Amino acid sequence: MDSKQHLYLVDGSAYIFRAYHRLPPLTDPEGTPVGAVYGYTTMLWRLAEDLHKADGPTHLAVILDAGSKSFRNDIYEDYKANRPPPPEDLVPQFPLIRDATRAFSLPCIEEQGYEADDLIASYAREATRRGWDVTIVSSDKDLMQLVGKCAEPDDGIEGGCIDMLDTMKNQRIDIAEVIEKFGVPPEKVGDVLALMGDSVDNVPGVFGVGPKTATKLIQDYGDLESALAAAPSMKKSKLQERLIEQAEQARLSRVLVTLKEDCALPMPLDAFKLNSVPPEPLSVFLARHGFTSLLKRLDAGTGSPTPTTRLNPAKPVTAGANPQEGAARQPLPEMPAIDYDAYECVQTLAALEAWIARAANARLVAVDTETSMLDAMQADLCGVSLAIGPNQACYIPLGHGGSDMFAERPEQVPLEEAMALLKPLLESDAVLKVGQNIKYDLNVLARYGIELAPVDDTMIESFCLDAGRSIDGIGGGHGMDELSQRHLDHKPMAFKDVCGTGKKAIPFGEVLLPKATCYAAEDADVTWRLHALLDPRLSEEGGTRIYERVDRPLIPVVARMERHGIRVDREKLAGLSSQFAEAIGALEGEIHGLAGQAFTIGSPKQLGDILFDKLGYKGGRKGKSGQYSTDQSVLEKLAGEGAVVATKVLEWRQLSKLRSTYTEALQAAINPRTGRVHTSYSLVGAQTGRLSSTEPNLQNIPIRTEIGRQIRDCFVAEPGNVLLSADYSQIELRLAAHMADVPSLKEAFAHGEDIHARTAMEMFGTVDRDTRGRAKTINFAILYGISRWGLGGRLGVEADEAQAMIDRYFERFPGIQRYIHETLESVRERGYSETLFGRKTWFPRINSKNQAERQGSERAAINAPIQGTSADIIKRAMARMEPALAGAGLGHVKMLLQVHDELVFELPEADVAAASPVIERVMAGAAEPAVRLDVPLGVEIGFGPSWGAAH
DNA sequence: GGCCGAACGTA
DNA sequence: GTACGTTCGGCCC
């Protein structure tokens, strides 16, 4: 998972010119000249062979010039104007470059309005941002500007770097080579090129300035502008005159030689994944052009590794005619309105095969599954929809009709046949599958033996870009309907309009095909469109790092956790349930007796009336509902004053909560097929980046009280196994100490001290149960965005006294106040907070005129970087956990649950000793190397037959 | 049947 | 004071 990706970008157009001049003229059996093509073919062969070798490509694409005009012609009409026509016997070889590339099943990219150099620069930039290394296969001097460019170091890889490979001379070009050639480092090459000009491309430069003079000028003055500025003070000469006269021409040249690094990428990087080359189309090509020696090598199996997939070869992509007008921002793809009539219902084998071929060629396909129910672990497949472009979408029904003996079953490709055909596409490394909440589809398809990969998720892309962003408090979500309305200004068909709702609801498999096709294909179409809009925004807006390094790798990991589920002891739960029921019944009788009447204890409204009106206890009205508050703190107060009924109600509430939410609900949640409980995690559930858990929520299983703890004992390992729990100790306080740079806190953590005791000593000068407890409350108050009223309420003191404690805290822990101040200043200015790993959370109400609203945002904004960084860290640990365990021969150790700072595993008891240090190491080191923390991350591990026993 | 607020479980 | 999800009663349509 952490292995380094290495992208090779082949400058196809430049290569063929050089090959033409260096290789002898050859012709194929049909008499077509193919010398340059032969050179190109052998080069591709060698590159493909280097797959998996050190420094060899993991991804590869060929980039071509699409036409003679580019955006540079808009800047300078005569750009490339006096280029001589190519030699007669080279012309017919140009299209053969595409044929050759296609024969190797390699992607071939060209785009109207851009030159190959610009596309190469743009792809190189995107790849290095992801931490990939990039090798540009070319010897074009313009491209040397890119050599040595690196993305910032992060995440177990030293950051992606760019070098060049001249396959003609078989020579790597690194920074040293560039300096040797130009006398200046790569970032200054553009200045040199601008001065010297280029007669072939008709870049004017400065007349009379050649490579030598240009280099000297840049060496002496630093860059072009400085050289031009210094010209008047140079000693009188022809050179000086020309520098002054032709300054504008030089500046124009500077623009012309600058590579455009932000072109829209016609195809996603993942689609460049290099696989073994299938022999089939290649052999036809080699035979046709008489490349017999290569053909022999192919037949002997020595050249390219044996094929694994049989997908159709790539086709050159000339994406949307959108000639760039020299603008900095990439154009939004122009998309036609949704057209339901354009969607196809795929009911025959032939139609299915055609769609699979189209999708394979496109190398990017939006996928959506339709199922019989919402629960992915139990849902049966009703159909699959695919989209490869706006309005280019289909629905493949697989489980429609036939639910009873009278229901007609429409014509459909048999499920198993369809799955067998779809599997290579859905699992192909070379085809990116895009989905909205694709974890769902991953889990559904897993039951049909398909491991969907690689994937992109528009919901998570939106989350990485726009978490917390909402307009007037609405529309901040990441659901498809919401995204579609926000970004596409289109309201997709609602599920309830297709299937109905409530009692009259019908399963999707009963929906008639024309309607089902509209709904399902539209979902895939909308997903495709959203991806086209959101994916480029990631790199433009700084979301790539968190998306590629943290959230995206987590999708399959969390999907597997959900599928594993966890075993619960049904009998034990049932036992607790009836035990609770009995106690609840007894309490009910007592409470009704004390109240002097029967009433619904679970109704705060009725309870409030009984307590404060009928029984006459003192307490206040609260809230806009005009209702008495009867929450825990109110009842505890009454109980402290001797109200027995309040004590009984508190007990009743605790037991009812445990019974209804846990002992009953968990039994009902056991999956009949697996016998285990499978929660569903939301990867976009919390604005801060935390996961959330639903159906059932396994992140709020009781632990604090003895009686609640019994519920944890109901989560058990299979016989022979144990549950192992590993949790970060005080991770948020540690992060606060690091992020706010608080010396005494950092020191305390470094020495493994009891942090709350240390705080008590600093604050009160003494440590006992009371002061330690108060110190703990204050520590948490800091993390949650402190207010004098909140802290006062918690500690039972007046706001003034709480403020005095806050002041003292700031004084004793310098750094905290500054952190709060700087964080808020930055959020006010930029609108978002950021974690150490670059996750943004937006706070649109941070400058609100409404004080409560504004202060609420301020508290959340203080907390978000801390909570979010903690979430980033445990996510990184999760993504690394499986490979780390597998690498230690512990691939059978299963990660089951995540509870914000805790991971729960199931493993054979005999493996605890081996697994614990691996788990500990991965978790403790999860911030590195992207972030170097000043405090150690403590990890505590326990294990036992149950979750309760593991703590 | 669907929605909201109160209450309460977790980190 | 932060971040969640579920249950329940009460009320709406």
Side-chain angles (χ1 to χ4, degrees):
Chain A
M1 187 150 286
D2 266 349
S3 68
K4 188 100 181 170
Q5 308 292 324
H6 197 147
L7 170 66
Y8 276 56
L9 294 166
V10 179
D11 182 2
S13 309
Y15 189 89
I16 193 167
F17 273 99
R18 296 192 64 217
Y20 174 79
H21 291 293
R22 293 184 56 128
L23 290 166
L26 296 170
T27 52
D28 71 9
E30 293 168 23
T32 313
V34 289
V37 175
Y38 179 78
Y40 177 77
T41 306
T42 53
M43 175 195 66
L44 279 188
W45 188 291
R46 276 206 308 275
L47 289 177
E49 258 183 342
D50 285 345
L51 173 63
H52 300 316
K53 281 189 190 159
D55 249 356
T58 59
H59 295 68
L60 191 150
V62 174
I63 317 287
L64 299 174
D65 284 320
S68 54
K69 294 268 190 243
S70 77
F71 69 92
R72 289 187 177 78
N73 293 96
D74 299 335
I75 304 170
Y76 182 53
E77 218 183 323
D78 293 337
Y79 180 65
K80 292 202 170 172
N82 57 1
R83 187 169 265 213
E88 210 178 301
D89 55 340
L90 178 54
V91 174
Q93 299 194 51
F94 288 126
L96 292 181
I97 291 292
R98 291 188 190 88
D99 288 352
T101 313
R102 225 176 299 173
F104 277 91
S105 304
L106 293 170
C108 190
I109 304 290
E110 52 190 316
E111 176 98 338
Q112 289 297 336
Y114 297 127
E115 292 181 58
D117 288 0
D118 301 312
L119 289 167
I120 288 172
S122 300
Y123 273 112
R125 183 173 88 145
E126 176 68 10
T128 53
R129 279 186 175 189
R130 290 197 190 181
W132 299 9
D133 279 335
V134 175
T135 294
I136 297 167
V137 180
S138 176
S139 51
D140 186 329
K141 58 187 180 341
D142 292 345
L143 286 168
M144 291 187 188
Q145 298 178 70
L146 298 171
V147 167
K149 271 206 174 184
C150 290
E152 62 179 293
D154 187 18
D155 221 14
I157 10 189
E158 309 89 59
C161 270
I162 304 175
D163 69 357
M164 280 175 75
L165 177 66
D166 183 344
T167 51
M168 284 280 181
K169 297 184 187 159
N170 200 15
Q171 180 189 36
R172 288 257 167 197
I173 300 168
D174 57 12
I175 295 179
E177 297 286 337
V178 175
I179 293 176
E180 194 180 318
K181 183 172 165 63
F182 284 98
V184 297
E187 62 270 19
K188 306 268 188 202
V189 165
D191 295 301
V192 173
L193 291 172
L195 280 168
M196 60 191 258
D198 184 322
S199 57
V200 179
D201 288 350
N202 205 24
V203 173
V206 174
F207 188 74
V209 174
K212 289 279 171 343
T213 315
T215 298
K216 178 112 181 31
L217 284 168
I218 299 306
Q219 280 172 347
D220 290 352
Y221 298 98
D223 56 41
L224 175 67
E225 277 306 321
S226 308
L228 294 175
S233 57
M234 289 177 197
K235 75 174 195 321
K236 288 252 178 288
S237 67
K238 204 79 189 159
L239 173 65
Q240 185 219 24
E241 255 173 54
R242 282 172 173 158
L243 279 177
I244 295 169
E245 257 171 39
Q246 301 174 33
E248 276 318 304
Q249 197 172 301
R251 292 196 178 95
L252 171 67
S253 303
R254 186 68 185 85
V255 175
L256 290 175
V257 300
T258 300
L259 298 174
K260 184 167 169 52
E261 296 188 14
D262 57 355
C263 307
L265 306 183
M267 214 182 249
L269 275 176
D270 292 286
F272 295 170
K273 175 87 184 183
L274 180 59
N275 287 321
S276 50
V277 176
E280 206 170 289
L282 183 56
S283 62
V284 174
F285 174 85
L286 297 176
R288 173 161 177 207
H289 296 291
F291 300 161
T292 45
S293 62
L294 293 178
L295 195 55
K296 268 188 217 140
R297 274 166 71 185
L298 183 68
D299 289 341
T302 53
S304 54
T306 44
T308 50
T309 55
R310 249 193 92 253
L311 287 170
N312 287 332
K315 191 171 90 173
V317 166
T318 310
N322 221 327
Q324 181 67 335
E325 323 266 29
R329 211 188 168 296
Q330 77 176 46
L332 290 182
E334 296 231 342
M335 290 189 262
I338 296 273
D339 177 9
Y340 292 108
D341 294 334
Y343 299 149
E344 184 182 337
C345 186
V346 173
Q347 293 174 277
T348 65
L349 217 53
L352 178 58
E353 282 173 338
W355 267 95
I356 290 172
R358 287 178 69 187
N361 272 344
R363 286 174 178 257
L364 183 155
V365 57
V367 177
D368 187 32
T369 56
E370 302 301 336
T371 58
S372 58
M373 55 165 87
L374 231 58
D375 178 2
M377 288 302 299
Q378 298 187 58
D380 292 316
L381 203 54
C382 294
V384 176
S385 46
L386 306 176
I388 57 170
N391 290 333
Q392 299 178 56
C394 71
Y395 179 56
I396 308 153
L398 299 168
H400 279 254
S403 60
D404 64 67
M405 52 200 290
F406 303 108
E408 189 108 10
R409 212 183 118 80
E411 183 185 6
Q412 287 165 79
V413 180
L415 181 72
E416 287 196 3
E417 266 179 75
M419 288 291 117
L421 283 173
L422 282 164
K423 187 176 162 79
L425 175 77
L426 297 180
E427 296 187 343
S428 167
D429 273 347
V431 183
L432 181 63
K433 272 70 64 175
V434 180
Q436 166 73 14
N437 187 20
I438 204 159
K439 176 162 65 63
Y440 180 84
D441 309 275
L442 225 79
N443 280 337
V444 169
L445 290 170
R447 272 195 35 225
Y448 294 83
I450 290 175
E451 281 184 62
L452 196 65
V455 296
D456 245 348
D457 191 325
T458 46
M459 181 178 75
I460 297 173
E461 290 181 327
S462 167
F463 182 64
C464 288
L465 289 164
D466 296 329
R469 232 175 195 178
S470 58
I471 304 142
D472 296 327
I474 47 156
H478 309 280
M480 193 178 75
D481 288 7
E482 227 171 305
L483 293 180
S484 174
Q485 297 196 42
R486 196 182 315 154
H487 299 295
L488 307 174
D489 197 24
H490 168 77
K491 189 177 164 68
M493 249 166 135
F495 184 79
K496 65 176 196 306
D497 295 339
V498 179
C499 290
T501 175
K503 268 196 165 145
K504 288 170 290 183
I506 53 165
F508 197 82
E510 299 304 310
V511 177
L512 296 179
L513 290 187
K515 203 175 184 184
T517 299
C518 289
Y519 175 83
E522 180 187 34
D523 274 7
D525 186 3
V526 166
T527 302
W528 190 96
R529 293 167 189 242
L530 287 173
H531 186 261
L533 291 172
L534 296 175
D535 197 53
R537 274 185 61 203
L538 285 172
S539 63
E540 285 165 21
E541 298 175 25
T544 302
R545 185 166 165 218
I546 204 78
Y547 178 71
E548 292 291 340
R549 305 270 174 93
V550 181
D551 284 355
R552 187 178 179 228
L554 211 62
I555 299 170
V557 175
V558 171
R560 279 188 287 272
M561 290 168 69
E562 294 178 354
R563 293 206 298 273
H564 286 138
I566 187 167
R567 184 177 174 199
V568 297
D569 185 335
R570 186 196 289 275
E571 282 65 41
K572 196 163 182 170
L573 282 170
L576 281 177
S577 238
S578 45
Q579 205 179 305
F580 292 164
E582 203 174 311
I584 290 166
L587 284 164
E588 234 158 46
E590 291 181 64
I591 292 165
H592 290 164
L594 288 163
Q597 69 172 88
F599 68 101
T600 308
I601 304 169
S603 160
K605 184 171 159 18
Q606 292 183 36
L607 178 64
D609 291 342
I610 296 279
L611 287 175
F612 299 112
D613 289 342
K614 179 148 194 226
L615 300 178
Y617 289 109
K618 303 275 184 259
R621 285 180 179 279
K622 250 202 331 201
K624 38 215 146 144
S625 56
Q627 242 184 68
Y628 290 113
S629 167
T630 65
D631 69 15
Q632 201 161 7
S633 66
V634 171
L635 295 183
E636 274 168 358
K637 191 148 178 292
L638 291 179
E641 291 161 5
V644 182
V645 66
T647 314
K648 299 289 177 192
V649 170
L650 283 169
E651 279 181 52
W652 182 92
R653 281 215 180 133
Q654 184 190 19
L655 291 172
S656 319
K657 177 82 177 177
L658 295 180
R659 188 175 128 86
S660 65
T661 311
Y662 302 108
T663 54
E664 287 297 308
L666 282 173
Q667 293 182 67
I670 296 171
N671 181 308
R673 190 167 54 81
T674 64
R676 291 165 78 94
V677 173
H678 306 265
T679 185
S680 168
Y681 288 102
S682 169
L683 300 178
V684 300
Q687 316 258 298
T688 52
R690 274 190 178 177
L691 305 188
S692 69
S693 157
T694 60
E695 292 182 311
N697 181 354
L698 295 186
Q699 289 181 322
N700 70 344
I701 302 301
I703 188 165
R704 287 174 184 174
T705 64
E706 191 42 53
I707 187 153
R709 195 179 282 256
Q710 296 180 69
I711 292 166
R712 278 207 182 208
D713 290 330
C714 297
F715 288 79
V716 294
E718 296 291 335
N721 282 358
V722 290
L723 293 183
L724 182 150
S725 157
D727 65 281
Y728 285 112
S729 106
Q730 312 281 12
I731 186 168
E732 293 194 4
L733 267 179
R734 287 173 196 254
L735 291 173
H738 168 89
M739 292 164 78
D741 193 19
V742 186
S744 56
L745 286 180
K746 291 201 290 193
E747 193 185 313
F749 280 124
H751 295 142
E753 284 178 43
D754 175 341
I755 202 68
H756 300 309
R758 170 74 177 248
T759 307
M761 184 53 94
E762 297 272 356
M763 293 287 295
F764 309 112
T766 171
V767 184
D768 54 41
R769 258 187 74 143
D770 176 60
T771 55
R772 187 181 179 282
R774 291 156 76 81
K776 187 173 174 180
T777 301
I778 298 168
N779 277 331
F780 279 105
I782 295 292
L783 299 180
Y784 295 156
I786 202 157
S787 90
R788 66 189 74 174
W789 300 280
L791 182 61
R794 262 306 163 98
L795 288 175
V797 301
E798 291 302 312
D800 286 357
E801 201 181 324
Q803 184 61 54
M805 293 169 102
I806 295 168
D807 291 342
R808 182 161 174 78
Y809 194 96
F810 287 163
E811 195 183 297
R812 304 304 296 189
F813 300 110
I816 295 286
Q817 197 169 21
R818 185 185 26 161
Y819 165 81
I820 292 172
H821 179 75
E822 285 173 1
T823 302
L824 289 179
E825 277 298 296
S826 153
V827 174
R828 283 183 196 118
E829 196 192 321
R830 302 193 295 182
Y832 60 86
S833 70
E834 222 172 345
T835 66
L836 291 185
F837 299 89
R839 181 187 303 282
K840 292 177 181 174
T841 304
W842 292 84
F843 295 92
R845 303 158 112 80
I846 194 80
N847 292 314
S848 167
K849 294 196 173 51
N850 177 328
Q851 171 174 277
E853 211 169 64
R854 185 179 66 248
Q855 288 176 340
S857 291
E858 288 175 354
R859 288 192 297 273
I862 291 166
N863 178 250
I866 300 170
Q867 187 184 120
T869 300
S870 160
D872 292 344
I873 288 175
I874 197 166
K875 281 177 165 178
R876 289 163 62 95
M878 290 163 74
R880 294 177 186 181
M881 196 59 78
E882 291 175 314
L885 287 167
L890 295 162
H892 56 285
V893 175
K894 301 299 181 205
M895 187 158 61
L896 307 185
L897 303 178
Q898 188 252 44
V899 193
H900 308 311
D901 65 0
E902 175 188 11
L903 295 174
V904 178
F905 300 83
E906 179 168 1
L907 69 168
E909 184 163 15
D911 290 327
V912 167
S916 298
V918 176
I919 292 166
E920 206 266 351
R921 181 164 42 78
V922 170
M923 288 177 73
E928 295 176 14
V931 169
R932 183 90 215 190
L933 295 174
D934 299 337
V935 289
L937 291 179
V939 177
E940 289 170 359
I941 290 182
F943 64 95
S946 74
W947 195 5
H951 270 281

